[in-house]
Amino acid sequence: MKTNSESFHSILNNVAKHITLTAAEKKFFCSLLRVKKLRKRQYLLQAGDVSRFEQFINTGALRAYYLDEKGHERIVQFGLEGWWIGDMASFFSGLPATLTIEAMEESELFQIERNDFDVLLDKVPKFERFFRILLSNAHIAHQRRLVSHLTGSAQERYLELLAKYPAFEQRIPLRHIASYLGVTPEFLSRMRKRLTKKK
Amino acid sequence: MKTNSESFHSILNNVAKHITLTAAEKKFFCSLLRVKKLRKRQYLLQAGDVSRFEQFINTGALRAYYLDEKGHERIVQFGLEGWWIGDMASFFSGLPATLTIEAMEESELFQIERNDFDVLLDKVPKFERFFRILLSNAHIAHQRRLVSHLTGSAQERYLELLAKYPAFEQRIPLRHIASYLGVTPEFLSRMRKRLTKKK
DNA sequence: AAATTCCATTGATGTAGGTCAAGGAGATCA
DNA sequence: TGATCTCCTTGACCTACATCAATGGAATTT
């Protein structure tokens, strides 16, 4: 665990988006965090294990996916610097996780453990609000994504994704983007070709 | 507002699934509820309005949907007796709702108003836990549904839906089920034909 | 009871996206 | 240095699902 306060800059900024903390509260919050480093391809969480942590991504890139019956990965979320990632269901319920989370690049995370989380909410109730907003945002994001699957074509979804996160195109391998969009790598490859031709 | 305690039986049962209340707390909780009756086709909430209530369905059936750019309805949730329904995002944030919610049958709901909701959480903190579980369950349900769109065929999704909620087949009109599944009514009609033939 | 509207069904045809198989370019390793 | 592996691309063919148009029955209005 680091004590260098500078390193928590990013997570404090993130929290400050929704609630305002005193200096003492910031210090307390940071004291509950632990730093976790992951190598490329390393698991943060495997389906079946209980997720004891929620985490904030300081640097790096991760992906969270389900495995379907045929063993295919279905990516439900990417995570980059400044995002929270975890299996909230498992974290809150204590039941085994259904998601697997894996680093796509070398990454550095800040983790908060389940017990410390309860302590935090107890001592600084503002965090109730913070995490409810986080959960509610995640909920809305899923709802929107579901609708874009009900409504639009794969190409529309791909363009939406690129518009929202232009960095993805360079940074995230094709097959992972395909899995996120719900198409085969072959089809995404063709789509890209079609799109570059049109220019 | 009703005071007949018998009528709140269903919602108290629902709450009891996750937290245990004293008699006094039950009474207090019920005192914050108001009864809302809806005719068939009546709106509970229209996109653009702020959702001031969350609601529990005592009797009846509702549907919650987005309108896409072309004006098509995309159903994201059904609600039957014993379920909660609302636009949580709008309820918590105070921003305009993105969902429209409409009664498919004559329905009776119990509503809790946003201010009363805060009072409730303040006086009976157990409800923090209750609503976090609710939100987290909704989140998981959406995640699963998203995955079933990424993974499976419309027929698989239809069969899953029927397996989970056999009542839907008789009770909910074909075009609404089609919208929920993300297919055209024509295609769902053909699917049903195919499925009945197979028997 | 007729008129009107809404809705499920069916047919004909078109298209987005899947599957399978092969080849090639970059990494990683011996 | 070549050998193996992983990943992207491309081609040929197939299928799930959409679109459009027509029909008839059920429900709602007059």
Side-chain angles (χ1 to χ4, degrees), chain A residues 41-53:
Chain A
R41 301 219 160 174
Q42 195 178 334
Y43 289 122
L44 173 63
L45 176 70
Q46 294 192 60
D49 294 348
V50 172
S51 175
R52 291 176 47 237
F53 304 94

Side-chain angles (χ1 to χ4, degrees), chain B residues 68-100:
Chain B
D68 69 19
E69 328 75 47
K70 293 166 202 151
H72 291 144
E73 296 174 0
R74 300 297 168 172
I75 297 180
V76 299
Q77 198 200 331
F78 291 119
L80 299 183
E81 301 81 11
W83 302 27
W84 288 81
I85 198 163
D87 186 322
M88 284 203 241
S90 170
F91 180 75
F92 285 127
S93 68
L95 297 171
T98 49
L99 289 177
T100 298

Side-chain angles (χ1 to χ4, degrees), chain A residues 33-47:
Chain A
L33 300 173
R34 59 185 81 192
V35 174
K36 171 98 178 176
K37 297 194 183 217
L38 292 174
R39 292 273 158 78
K40 198 171 172 171
R41 301 219 160 174
Q42 195 178 334
Y43 289 122
L44 173 63
L45 176 70
Q46 294 192 60

Side-chain angles (χ1 to χ4, degrees), chain A residues 154 182-184 187 190:
Chain A
V183 299
T184 57
F187 188 68
R190 282 176 235 266

Side-chain angles (χ1 to χ4, degrees), chain A residues 34 45 49-55 90-91 111-115:
Chain A
R34 59 185 81 192
L45 176 70
D49 294 348
V50 172
S51 175
R52 291 176 47 237
F53 304 94
E54 271 297 309
Q55 35 265 318
S90 170
F91 180 74
Q111 296 190 298
I112 182 158
E113 204 266 334
R114 182 59 222 255
N115 288 333

Side-chain angles (χ1 to χ4, degrees), chain B residues 28-40:
Chain B
F28 178 63
F29 173 55
C30 292
S31 79
L32 299 177
L33 299 175
R34 58 187 80 193
V35 174
K36 171 98 179 177
K37 296 194 185 220
L38 291 174
R39 293 272 158 79
K40 198 172 171 170

